[in-house]
Structures are given as structure tokens and as C-alpha cells.
Amino acid sequence: MQRQRSAKRPDSDSPSSGLGPELEQLYDRIARILGIGFWASIGVILLGVILTLAQGDELGDETFDMVDIVPKLLDGDVQALVDLGILLLLLTPLAYVVAALFTFLRQQDRLFVGVCGSLLLLFAITIGVALW
């Protein structure tokens, strides 16, 4: 019979947890980043939806190109707010990788610095290709 694993994160005071204070701080930072990013993006999306409906416009079924979002916002296009919210939601995990990278740099953990660096490089290449 197999033991069921708890879905909870190990308690940092537990000697069997094996997690140092740096990793505990990383987990807390990641949770904060993901929560703030999620709620901020939802707030921006809702603001865009509310303003669009208040103006009597219909919500579009297509998004603007990434490079067009800021100019559209500056032109007063509230549909761009919805697109900005979606973009923020997509960028939230990137902020998590950056936070992890700095933690692993401080710990001098070359393996995970390499993993985080590779993810950031892949993201940069993807954005570059998308904007090309």
C-alpha cells in the first residue's frame, strides 16, 4: 500500500523538510508575484470590459499585436486595456522566473541559474520572433 503525499508544502521548521530559508523566501515571493500578477491582470481586463461596455462599444474578438497595445492605449482605445490585461497575465510567470533566477544567483546554484537563464532566453527568442 502506497503512502499518500500531502499536497501541502513541508513546514520550514520540520527537520525533514530540507528547505532552507532562501527557498522558503522564494516560495513566498513566487506566491506573492503570482497573486499580484493574476489580480492586477484581472483588474485591468475588467476595467477594459467595463469601459468598453460603458462607451456602448462591443468587445472585439481579436487582440491587437503586442507592439500596438501601448499606442492604442495612448489613443484612448479601451479595448487595448483588455489586451494589456491579457499580456500582463501572460507575463506573470516570467516575473516568477526572474525572481527564482535572482534567488539561485544568490545561492550560487549554477544548475538552476542555467535553467532560469535558458527559460528567459527562450522567452526572449519567442518574443523576438513574434515581433519580427
Side-chain angles (χ1 to χ4, degrees), residues 31-41 92:
R32 223 173 307 121
I33 288 169
L34 293 177
I36 291 169
F38 174 77
W39 289 112
S41 61
T92 298

Side-chain angles (χ1 to χ4, degrees), residues 24 32 36 45 48 50 67 71 103 107 112 117:
E24 279 294 320
R32 223 173 307 121
I36 291 169
I45 291 170
I50 291 167
V67 294
T103 298
Q107 290 180 338
F112 285 107

